[in-house]
Amino acid sequence: MADTTAIKPLDQDEEAFLRALGRVMAYLPRVVDADMARERPITGSEYTVLVHLSEAPENPMRMSDPARVRGLSLSGLTRVVKRLEARSLVLREKCPDDGRAWLAVLTDAGWERLKPAWPTNLASVRRHVFSRLEGCDVAAARDLERIAAGD
């Protein structure tokens, strides 16, 4: 357990930032999912998995790769991929190099579902994120990725 006497308390700006980050983390997936569901039969999580699969070299990805990128547990990603697989948007295959691992593969139907979902997702992200960050240094905000890099 950490020695709380040696830990410097958060200053006012740090505390405000942390609370704002928490609100954004709760808000953004919910509103993007709502926009996607309203216009396309796909959730934000499903869309993100399809995007990552579409960007993978030669398409198949180990199931752990999109889980890490999406910030999902492996079981959470498995649930998303099984939903996609049930709709023939993704195939799951045993990894030829590792019998314990599974690969996710984007199907032609997955590509066809992804293409029209892109403008919907883009419009949602522009509306809910970038329209509210005018004047902010978005390039500098990319440093937030260091948080996800872990220990």
Side-chain angles (χ1 to χ4, degrees):
M1 180 169 233
D3 176 8
T4 57
T5 60
I7 300 173
K8 178 184 167 194
L10 298 178
D11 67 29
Q12 187 175 0
D13 288 336
E14 290 169 330
E15 183 68 35
F17 171 81
L18 194 58
R19 289 176 188 231
L21 181 61
R23 286 191 303 274
V24 168
M25 289 169 51
Y27 168 81
L28 193 56
R30 185 171 33 90
V31 295
V32 171
D33 272 354
D35 288 348
M36 296 295 287
R38 202 170 21 260
E39 294 188 32
R40 302 285 168 202
I42 189 171
T43 68
S45 293
E46 292 168 344
Y47 172 82
T48 302
V49 169
L50 293 177
V51 166
H52 288 294
L53 290 175
S54 76
E55 295 170 346
E58 299 179 29
N59 199 340
M61 285 182 86
R62 281 180 176 264
M63 293 282 285
S64 57
D65 293 338
R68 183 178 28 77
V69 170
R70 179 68 181 147
L72 294 172
S73 66
L74 194 50
S75 63
L77 177 75
T78 298
R79 284 190 296 275
V80 172
V81 169
K82 280 185 177 183
R83 286 196 312 263
L84 293 168
E85 187 177 34
R87 297 190 334 250
S88 301
L89 305 178
V90 169
L91 291 175
R92 288 186 316 139
E93 301 174 346
K94 278 287 197 184
C95 179
D97 303 336
D98 180 353
R100 298 168 298 159
W102 286 88
L103 301 173
V105 181
L106 186 64
T107 65
D108 290 341
W111 273 105
E112 293 308 312
R113 181 67 54 91
L114 178 60
K115 289 176 197 175
W118 177 79
T120 302
N121 184 268
L122 179 60
S124 182
V125 169
R126 287 219 172 272
R127 181 173 57 256
H128 297 295
V129 179
F130 295 105
S131 70
R132 298 173 184 189
L133 293 177
E134 192 168 315
C136 289
D137 187 351
V138 175
R142 290 179 57 192
D143 287 343
L144 287 171
E145 180 65 28
R146 287 188 268 171
I147 296 169
D151 297 328

